Amino acid sequence: STASGPFSTMLLADMGAEVVKIEPPAGDGLRQWPPLNDGFSENFASLNRNKRSAVLDLKAPDDVALARRLILEADVVVENNRPGVMDRLGLGYARLSADKPSLLFCSISAYGQSGPRSGEGGFDLTIQAAAGVMSVTGEPGGAPVKCGVPLSDFASGLYAAFSISAMLAHVRAGGHGAHIDIPMFGCTLGIAALQTSEYFGNDRSPVKLGSAHPRNAPYQAFQAQDGYFAIAAGNHKLWLDVLRVVDMPALADDSRFVSTTARARNQAALKEILEAVFTRRPVAHWIDAFNEAGVPHARINDYAAALGDPQTEHMGWVQPLELPNGQQTRTFASPVRLNGQGFPIRRPAPGLGQHTDEIRAQYTAKAA
């Protein structure tokens, strides 16, 4: 994965962890990803704030020795190589935990540290395919599409950060360290609890429904006169509110729509009836009407609109960021607030090896 490890450690760094990113001489591959701002990757910057970067060549014995010292000084090490790579470098959990029993060693991989598929690599696309996400994404009968946001990468990073935080509490209470095994395949199945339970409940794999929902209706994107909008009438009261907005009270007694389950079963017919009304007025009209009625609603925002939303502005989520080359950009900061305060960006994303000398000096002095 390109993003899981960096995302998990950024979440921890946002919360105050001191993170040292170890990069090979060629750098993290994400540094090459466009858009490049005077040569520096905006994608890389979005996942690597609040970290220091040191370049180590793990084929060189001196650098392996330094990496070992760094790990033994740390509370946590996060790696997303294929299983076995860290062991071959002499930096595996078994070896290091013998010297430091409290060590938390978090390994993110495609399929996990053991099992028939553990040797396989994987990226977000192949994991979304393998774990079922692509089978429920897109329009019925359409070609396979993935979720546009790399769910598998980022969900795995969240699982990693959550597991590390929980285990840190355990270690600080006097518990033993652990090898935390984060399989992207399993994490992607884990966030699909509604889909896996649907399968266990009726022995049928869930199917693609476009923007619709298997158990709620009206709960999808609808066409208006000049575009689309979404409403989510997730319970019976909200359904009756929708009928007031479209002025069709008789539908409340229609046998096809009398319950949430019935509406979900007959949602294609329901969509046709509602869109006959919705297509007479523009999106703005319906957004205002559903806002007033208290029915959850949304425009189909692109990222420009979502980042420009007044709520985004109120929360202060978009922050200025200076890149190591002096260029200015913006970034999406941590969405979490504690007692009304967000988290500061203490350090911009580091240049490749920006802190190598400082870290070398710090840990060589400690060894002496």
Side-chain angles (χ1 to χ4, degrees):
S1 156
T2 318
S4 307
F7 183 58
S8 68
T9 49
M10 183 176 78
L11 294 176
L12 296 165
D14 282 345
M15 289 279 191
E18 279 295 322
V19 177
V20 177
K21 181 180 179 75
I22 305 297
E23 299 187 61
D28 178 341
L30 202 61
R31 288 185 179 276
Q32 308 309 318
W33 282 30
L36 299 175
N37 185 334
D38 197 20
F40 197 90
S41 166
E42 298 262 1
N43 273 180
F44 177 86
S46 74
L47 291 176
N48 288 287
R49 60 171 174 257
N50 294 337
K51 303 178 190 179
R52 293 188 288 168
S53 163
V55 166
L56 298 184
D57 178 0
L58 296 179
K59 293 187 178 69
D62 283 0
D63 279 7
V64 173
L66 179 58
R68 189 183 161 77
R69 281 202 297 279
L70 265 165
I71 291 170
L72 292 175
E73 283 281 328
D75 296 302
V76 182
V77 61
V78 177
E79 57 96 11
N80 56 348
N81 300 289
R82 287 196 200 197
V85 169
M86 294 292 275
D87 290 322
R88 288 197 291 280
L89 291 168
L91 298 171
Y93 175 69
R95 191 154 166 198
L96 291 162
S97 64
D99 291 336
K100 183 172 185 162
S102 66
L103 181 67
L104 291 175
F105 193 100
C106 179
S107 297
I108 303 173
S109 64
Y111 290 96
Q113 296 299 300
S114 64
R117 300 194 72 175
S118 58
E120 294 182 36
F123 286 100
D124 178 82
L125 166 70
T126 57
I127 302 297
Q128 282 200 37
V133 175
M134 289 175 71
S135 77
V136 293
T137 305
E139 292 296 334
V145 292
K146 63 179 175 58
C147 173
V149 174
L151 279 189
S152 296
D153 274 348
F154 285 81
S156 303
L158 276 164
Y159 267 108
F162 157 69
S163 304
I164 288 165
S165 305
M167 286 303 296
L168 274 172
H170 169 77
V171 168
R172 289 187 176 148
H176 202 281
H179 190 184
I180 302 171
D181 178 1
I182 302 285
M184 292 170 64
F185 180 58
C187 293
T188 307
L189 281 165
I191 59 169
L194 300 181
Q195 284 71 31
T196 57
S197 60
E198 183 178 339
Y199 172 72
F200 295 140
N202 64 23
D203 269 341
R204 289 192 302 274
S205 288
V207 296
K208 300 177 192 184
L209 294 169
S211 66
H213 190 284
R215 285 171 282 286
N216 281 323
Y219 193 103
Q220 67 187 105
F222 290 97
Q223 190 163 6
Q225 198 174 49
D226 60 347
Y228 291 83
F229 67 95
I231 54 169
N235 60 42
H236 200 72
K237 179 201 167 294
L238 290 169
W239 158 241
L240 298 176
D241 292 335
V242 170
L243 292 184
R244 272 194 285 283
V245 171
V246 295
D247 195 20
M248 300 178 92
L251 285 187
D253 304 317
D254 189 313
S255 61
R256 296 171 297 173
F257 310 134
V258 290
S259 68
T260 305
T261 311
R263 286 192 297 283
R265 197 181 306 121
N266 295 294
Q267 57 181 269
L270 179 57
K271 180 173 193 263
E272 214 169 294
I273 292 167
L274 292 176
E275 279 191 340
V277 180
F278 291 152
T279 48
R280 292 182 209 150
R281 296 288 191 86
V283 169
H285 169 84
W286 297 114
I287 291 293
D288 289 345
F290 285 114
N291 189 34
E292 205 169 306
V295 175
H297 58 280
R299 297 172 183 276
I300 312 294
N301 282 341
D302 60 11
Y303 279 92
L307 292 167
D309 190 284
Q311 186 66 17
T312 305
E313 191 177 336
H314 165 79
M315 289 291 195
W317 288 331
V318 176
Q319 294 285 335
L321 188 70
E322 185 171 337
L323 301 176
N325 58 13
Q327 295 294 320
Q328 296 295 323
T329 185
R330 292 173 297 163
T331 198
F332 190 87
S334 170
V336 179
R337 288 180 147 208
L338 289 185
N339 299 324
Q341 296 299 308
F343 293 93
I345 295 176
R346 304 186 308 278
R347 295 174 178 273
L352 177 60
Q354 186 180 331
H355 307 95
T356 307
D357 293 346
E358 169 186 314
I359 283 160
R360 226 176 253 290
Q362 186 181 341
Y363 288 92
T364 310
K366 282 188 177 170

